[in-house]
Amino acid sequence: MAKQSRRTEILEQRPVNLDGFVEEWPEVGMVAMDSPYDPEPSVRVENGVIVEMDGKPRAEFDFLDQFIADHAIDAEATEAAMAMEPVQIARMLVDPGVSRGEVLAVSRGLTPAALLEVVKTMNVVEMMQAVQKMRARRTIANQAHSTSARDNPVQVAAEAAEAALRGFRELETTLGVVRYAPLVAIALQVGALAGKPGVLTQCALEEATELELGMRGITAYAETISVYGTEPVFCDGDDTPWSKAFLASAYASRGIKMRFTSGTGSEVQMGNAEGKSMLYLEIRCILVTKGAGVQGLQNGSISCIGVPGAVPGGIRAVLAENLIASTVDLESASGNDQSFSHSDMRRTARLLPQLLPGTDFVCSGYSAVPNYDNMFAGSNLDAADYDDWNTIQRDLQVDGGLRHVPEAELLAARNRAARALQGVFAQLGLPAITDKEVEAATYAHGSQDLPLRDVLEDLKAAQQVMDRGVTGLDIVKALEGAGYSDMAHTLLGILRHRVSGDLLHTSAILTPELETLSAVNDANDYAGPGTGYRPSGARWEEMKRLRHVVSAQNPETEVG
């Protein structure tokens, strides 16, 4: 065996070398965004109908081609848009002198292959500049996972309160045991109310149960409605673009905010990439989302980041998919949600292209719990990363939506959430939450710090919630009955927003004052230096505060 240098031995021990890397293999789609098998851009319109797209006549369209051609591309604008050179459109994206509206007027006519050619001309810095302008909503936001390895509703409530207090405007949970869902969904909503008013919550499940929880008002939004870039993968889920559009309309009919989910690499992971690049197939997903009339998309290689992360240029392709979602006027919940690397440097490098320019939701799943509790297979960032995140915000004066909160406030919110849930469970006749559980949840880091619950009794109660038809209004009444009138009024206000349809606007969130911010009344107005959203005033003062900031006059005194 050849002798190794000491330098090589040290490098071999670096965490990054535990990651997986693979050479490109275009024939099976193992290539990020530049496959020789991707089609060339083209379009032809006859009598107002697209009869050729990306080198394929209409008679040869698969169902994605047909859906995109008929519902996602403006037939009146497409021939003029497609006549433009890709680099010309890319320069429009980067140029702060070209408005977002001018870009949207062009992008509505571009085919999947044309959108791919545009971003292929751009480097990562240029894409970030474009994201800064093309983001739908002016104000940055963030979303967190609040889950429990034991599906413990008391833990979920406490974690939701802390996450809301730290600044997240959407909170998502999922389950290890699906039948626990009603109790955990109630816990998530109650906990969020205890932390900060106006936080929207969802429970990610199979679609029938998820829809029912939403229709009952136990959740406020949904995002795990997956779309795919090839017909065989779509069919694996017994779905078509039309069935997904019908499902989206079911959510919208009840005022439930929702977005589709897709991600670069999913078709490779499922074995049917048809030899196309990951990004080309993802662009088809983006346009299916647009064609279905859905307001936004959770994308950024959701649940499959290890695939593009293993090939050259893969993280660039992930940024490109976020940019394209914004470029066709969708809300972008831009990933940063699944673990993909052992390297802290790589984890940060994957985050910064979304954090620095800002997206509608910088993370579509920052883990508000330790990753051992994250039932979404772990996140790129977890509860141990809060101080690092806040420090990066302060260092660079960029807003990632979070803030440092003194421990006394966190403990008070966690305790109130657990006690409020204790009261709600009592009012609804659900299994008792003990004072010991409340105390443990107040101070816990994760599920390992909480006493075990009687799972069988909880599961029986969860079924009773469904059988009895418990709704969001019942939770309002339970909060009022338990002495939490402010939380009851906040939840009632969120339900009113659903009735009004306020959550259906592109990129809608609620402020702590229960005012809607969206692309309608908070449109991104970036137009170069000195314009657009940037943290200032009270928000910048808040971002300056960290755990161990000391007084300049008295270095022995912490002021953070």
Side-chain angles (χ1 to χ4, degrees), residues 43-51 58 68-82 108-110:
V43 77
R44 187 161 56 89
V45 179
E46 292 181 1
N47 301 319
V49 176
I50 294 175
V51 296
R58 191 175 183 91
I68 290 167
D70 292 348
H71 301 290
I73 298 174
D74 186 339
E76 294 183 2
T78 187
E79 290 183 320
M82 292 291 288
R108 71 187 190 203
L110 297 179

Side-chain angles (χ1 to χ4, degrees), residues 15-16 19 305 338-347 380:
V16 71
D19 292 355
I305 185 66
Q338 189 176 53
S339 300
F340 88 107
S341 177
H342 296 83
S343 163
D344 287 341
M345 286 184 68
R346 278 195 89 202
R347 290 197 302 124
N380 193 45

Side-chain angles (χ1 to χ4, degrees), residues 343-508:
S343 163
D344 287 341
M345 286 184 68
R346 278 195 89 202
R347 290 197 302 124
T348 306
R350 188 262 178 274
L351 163 68
L352 289 179
Q354 290 79 27
L355 175 62
L356 297 184
T359 61
D360 297 282
F361 290 92
V362 177
C363 297
S364 56
Y366 184 120
S367 184
V369 294
N371 262 333
Y372 75 73
D373 266 324
N374 191 303
M375 301 308 290
F376 289 98
S379 176
N380 193 45
L381 304 122
D382 77 353
D385 295 311
Y386 282 136
D387 288 355
D388 299 82
W389 181 288
N390 288 326
T391 302
I392 291 172
Q393 288 185 151
R394 183 179 188 268
D395 287 343
L396 302 179
Q397 199 171 352
V398 296
D399 195 343
L402 303 189
R403 67 189 186 109
H404 171 67
V405 183
E407 185 181 32
E409 292 181 38
L410 292 175
L411 294 178
R414 292 178 68 97
N415 185 267
R416 190 163 196 251
R419 292 211 175 277
L421 188 67
Q422 184 182 49
V424 167
F425 272 32
Q427 292 285 316
L428 295 177
L430 302 175
I433 294 171
T434 66
D435 289 343
K436 182 179 179 183
E437 288 179 279
V438 171
E439 178 77 2
T442 300
Y443 294 95
H445 177 55
S447 61
Q448 295 172 3
D449 303 322
L450 274 79
L452 298 176
R453 286 183 59 79
D454 187 329
V455 174
L456 183 58
E457 288 303 308
D458 274 352
L459 293 179
K460 289 179 182 177
Q463 187 59 50
Q464 289 171 14
V465 168
M466 303 306 285
D467 293 343
R468 287 159 43 195
V470 172
T471 69
L473 283 176
D474 292 314
I475 301 171
V476 171
K477 295 174 185 177
L479 284 165
E480 183 72 31
Y484 296 90
S485 295
D486 59 330
M487 293 167 62
H489 281 86
T490 295
L491 179 53
L492 187 60
I494 293 172
L495 294 173
R496 283 176 176 151
H497 275 285
R498 283 187 41 182
V499 173
S500 70
D502 284 352
L503 303 185
L504 302 181
H505 298 310
T506 299
S507 202

Side-chain angles (χ1 to χ4, degrees), residues 192-211:
L193 294 167
K196 200 98 167 183
V199 175
L200 303 180
T201 64
Q202 74 147 322
C203 186
L205 302 160
E206 50 82 23
E207 289 166 356
T209 304
E210 186 170 341
L211 180 59

Side-chain angles (χ1 to χ4, degrees), residues 32-263:
M33 54 190 292
D34 196 10
S35 172
Y37 305 107
D38 288 335
E40 293 294 320
S42 73
V43 77
R44 187 161 56 89
V45 179
E46 292 181 1
N47 301 319
V49 176
I50 294 175
V51 296
E52 177 191 316
M53 185 174 71
D54 294 342
K56 190 185 293 185
R58 191 175 183 91
E60 297 177 13
F61 282 1
D62 63 17
F63 64 37
L64 279 89
D65 295 321
Q66 183 179 338
F67 190 85
I68 290 167
D70 292 348
H71 301 290
I73 298 174
D74 186 339
E76 294 183 2
T78 187
E79 290 183 320
M82 292 291 288
M84 299 175 67
E85 291 295 322
V87 70
Q88 181 183 359
I89 300 170
R91 286 172 177 162
M92 291 178 67
L93 281 164
V94 173
D95 186 351
V98 178
S99 72
R100 183 175 187 271
E102 291 175 271
V103 177
L104 294 179
V106 173
S107 69
R108 71 187 190 203
L110 297 179
T111 67
L115 285 163
L116 177 63
E117 290 303 312
V118 170
V119 294
K120 281 168 62 174
T121 70
M122 304 171 74
N123 65 31
V124 166
V125 176
E126 291 159 350
M127 289 184 198
M128 291 166 66
Q129 174 69 17
V131 166
Q132 185 171 221
K133 179 171 75 180
M134 297 309 299
R135 179 180 72 249
R137 189 182 60 246
R138 185 178 191 271
T139 305
I140 309 299
N142 218 328
Q143 182 196 78
H145 292 157
S146 182
T147 60
S148 168
R150 294 173 176 166
D151 297 330
N152 187 318
V154 193
Q155 179 197 0
V156 169
E159 298 291 11
E162 177 172 340
L165 200 57
R166 287 186 180 275
F168 294 102
R169 301 314 298 161
E170 290 186 352
L171 298 177
E172 174 187 21
T173 195
T174 192
L175 290 305
V177 178
V178 173
R179 288 188 296 155
Y180 241 121
L183 299 190
V184 173
I186 291 171
L188 184 71
Q189 190 169 72
V190 169
L193 294 167
K196 200 98 167 183
V199 175
L200 303 180
T201 64
Q202 74 147 322
C203 186
L205 302 160
E206 50 82 23
E207 289 166 356
T209 304
E210 186 170 341
L211 180 59
E212 183 172 357
L213 289 172
M215 286 186 165
R216 291 188 183 197
I218 296 175
T219 57
Y221 77 102
E223 70 177 353
T224 51
I225 296 87
S226 298
V227 290
Y228 303 99
T230 64
E231 196 171 276
V233 173
F234 234 124
C235 290
D236 277 351
D238 296 323
D239 275 309
T240 71
W242 292 270
S243 68
K244 292 294 188 181
F246 180 81
L247 179 61
S249 70
Y251 282 100
S253 71
R254 297 299 187 272
I256 304 167
K257 176 181 178 178
M258 65 89 63
R259 50 184 169 253
F260 282 171
T261 291
S262 61

Side-chain angles (χ1 to χ4, degrees), residues 532-555:
Y533 175 79
R534 53 198 67 211
S536 59
R539 174 58 179 149
W540 177 225
E541 293 304 313
E542 181 180 64
M543 288 167 58
K544 291 177 183 178
R545 294 193 288 273
L546 300 177
R547 187 178 302 279
H548 296 301
V549 177
V550 299
S551 166
Q553 286 77 29
N554 184 2

